[in-house]
Amino acid sequence: MNKDTTSDKSHYTILFAGGAFAALALAKRLVDHAKSYPFQLLIIEKSDSCNGLAYNINQSPYVTTNNPAKTCSIDASDENNFIDWSAKFGWPHSPDCYPPRYFFGKYLEHTLAKIISSASNKRIQFNYICGEEVVDCERQKDGSYLVYSQLKLEEKRIIYRANTVILATGNNKPNLPKFAKNLSPSRIVENTMTVVNQKKISAFDVDQNIAIIGSGFSAMDAMTIRFFEKIKPALDYAQNSASIRQQDIGKIYMISRRGLINYIPSEEPEISVNYTLSNQVCLTLVDTFFDSNKLIQLLNQEFRRGESLGYTKHQVVLALDNVLIELLEKLSSDSERHKFIKDYWTVLHAHQNELQEPSAKIFQLLEQEEILQVMEGHIKGNIHMEGEDVVIEFEENREPLKVDAVINTAGLEHSYEELVHQNALLTNLEKRGYISPHRKTNLGLEVNERYEAINRDGFSMPNLHPVGRLIEGEAIYKKFGLWFTGNSGIRSIRNMCAELAPIILQDIELKSNSVI
Ligand SMILES: Cc1cc2nc3c(=O)[nH]c(=O)nc-3n(C[C@H](O)[C@H](O)[C@H](O)COP(=O)(O)OP(=O)(O)OC[C@H]3O[C@@H](n4cnc5c(N)ncnc54)[C@H](O)[C@@H]3O)c2cc1C
């Protein structure tokens, strides 16, 4: 052992690498459901807080979560946990409102404090360390793991031993654009999924030049909203009146680092989902449970009604968002839910052409009219204000873009290679062959049904459990049998933790019985 390395004598039952949302969601379940056998739990977090990337408490109060308050509980078996907490801590809004992300960060801090206190009541040894980065992990002959961590402020390595290791490292920094402090909130829309922000998009004046960052689902939604709310009426009006000219319509610049390449899964999904549905519909579908018959009936009925009023099916689907949310209350069993999703997509499949057409048509029309310009490029530095303009600079050798407002829809997902490359621990686990890419999506790591990592040779790594955003591909595919990317948020992570906790507790119980 070199002289800068200390070996921690403590042997932990469970050691977490990463201590943000996923870690807390799992730790809470473990502590709440622990029986009488003793265990020692250690969470090692490399930053100085438990807020993770998403819920930093210093961010703007204008940035909200994608989830209404009523779905923000960290615990799947206690739906009101967040609402009850937020009422106590002075959030005056209804459960249907979207809480600011910084506020959710506060919730995580209070949740951690609560877990610590529950653990001490149950005599569980619970330690949470900040400022230390787990950099490697090595399986021993006896099945335990040696875990190597690095102190942030000192050149010192520490070695721990643990029976079970939880990889809760998230998926690292998303490649999101950065906004300068001087950028007025009225000039930027983040998170196109909230109704408030969609209204903000509708409110941009027709002559404003808008940059949409990203080219996925949400970008298409933003384009569609702007088209129907402002551009189409202006184009219609321009045909009949000289008072508005084509030139008076602002431009849309759609900026994408990958260009307009669709996400293509390596295998055919069970059901094709290439519809231009709004993201909100998809999220609602994936995240919630519905009464399938009622919804299909409603959908067909709405299509007929919409048609008779001269609306496209795409518009009808967008309008259905609110109705879908109303159906949240109805819980059904897994099989009912699965059946519903299949039925739902079957109905939509029958309307695929009509559904796809409007978005594609809008896209083509806007390009033809030279209102829409797609730009492939990487954004450099901060997006900032210069006088009245919002300025976007590029890595590529090209003039900065000056616009009136920015709609950011850039995705958060990383390929396995990008993910592994950014994190020393994952790089080392990859070198050891302990982890492998998610087979179907290449997003995050592959796990088995016990949430154990699958190694390079396709075998399970006992007691090595990746959780949270790190297994985003798996969470979505496994839960719903459908292809959605970038939706491994609060609800799916807490559900996965609810499934994993009893598996770990059962293992501990078995071990403690075998020792006795
Ligand atoms: C900007 C942003 C906004 C989001 N908004 C929403 C939203 O509104 N609603 C929603 O449902 N989801 C949202 N998400 C998704 C979000 O990723 C999940 O909701 C959830 O927070 C993921 O939790 P996690 O613990 O898996 O990952 P993270 O929150 O990323 O936490 C991982 C933690 O591990 C630590 N860590 C990493 N490597 C190591 C290491 N080697 N050793 C020790 N510590 C390590 C990191 O410092 C970090 O604190 C958002 C994500 C981002 C990036």
Side-chain angles (χ1 to χ4, degrees), residues 324-375:
L324 294 179
I325 292 164
E326 291 297 308
L327 292 169
L328 271 175
E329 293 100 55
K330 186 119 186 173
L331 286 181
S332 49
S333 69
D334 264 5
S335 60
E336 276 175 317
R337 187 179 54 176
H338 208 84
K339 179 177 176 313
F340 160 71
I341 292 175
K342 279 196 162 181
D343 289 350
Y344 182 78
W345 286 115
T346 310
V347 171
L348 291 187
H349 200 257
H351 297 285
Q352 182 170 5
N353 290 337
E354 300 98 306
L355 285 169
Q356 267 185 341
E357 241 184 25
S359 231
K361 263 197 187 149
I362 294 168
F363 197 90
Q364 269 171 9
L365 177 90
L366 292 178
E367 271 197 321
Q368 262 166 26
E369 300 283 345
E370 295 180 0
I371 293 171
L372 174 72
Q373 188 184 332
V374 178
M375 305 169 78

Side-chain angles (χ1 to χ4, degrees), residues 18 20 22 45-46 55 65-67 101 134 168 170 423 469 489-490:
E45 166 55 49
K46 73 174 174 188
Y55 311 113
T65 63
N66 300 335
N67 322 62
R101 280 198 213 138
V134 177
N423 189 303
R469 191 75 180 179
I490 294 168

Side-chain angles (χ1 to χ4, degrees), residues 39-167:
F39 64 86
Q40 296 77 37
L41 191 153
L42 172 66
I43 299 182
I44 301 178
E45 166 55 49
K46 73 174 174 188
S47 77
D48 55 9
S49 83
C50 63
N51 305 118
L53 276 179
Y55 311 113
N56 185 316
I57 55 168
N58 297 317
Q59 65 191 303
S60 156
Y62 296 106
V63 182
T64 63
T65 63
N66 300 335
N67 322 62
K70 64 185 174 191
T71 64
C72 277
S73 167
I74 196 167
D75 187 344
S77 62
D78 179 9
E79 280 283 355
N80 288 332
N81 193 282
F82 177 76
I83 298 175
D84 292 346
W85 174 86
S86 61
K88 266 194 221 137
F89 285 86
W91 196 57
H93 303 291
S94 96
D96 292 313
C97 290
Y98 293 74
R101 280 198 213 138
Y102 89 88
F103 190 64
F104 193 78
K106 293 256 174 219
Y107 168 63
L108 293 185
E109 289 174 357
H110 281 96
T111 302
L112 173 59
K114 260 193 154 166
I115 303 173
I116 292 173
S117 123
S118 311
S120 83
N121 289 341
K122 288 191 161 185
R123 297 178 191 283
I124 296 167
Q125 188 191 325
F126 185 104
N127 294 329
Y128 189 99
I129 299 178
C130 278
E132 218 177 286
E133 179 176 355
V134 177
V135 288
D136 200 2
C137 164
E138 187 181 11
R139 187 148 196 263
Q140 303 300 292
K141 284 208 178 89
D142 65 359
S144 69
Y145 288 90
L146 283 188
V147 177
Y148 302 84
S149 86
Q150 176 86 47
L151 288 187
K152 203 169 156 189
L153 299 174
E154 289 172 54
E155 280 293 306
K156 194 161 129 190
R157 277 200 160 190
I158 303 182
I159 306 173
Y160 302 94
R161 187 183 280 274
N163 295 349
T164 295
V165 174
I166 310 294
L167 303 173

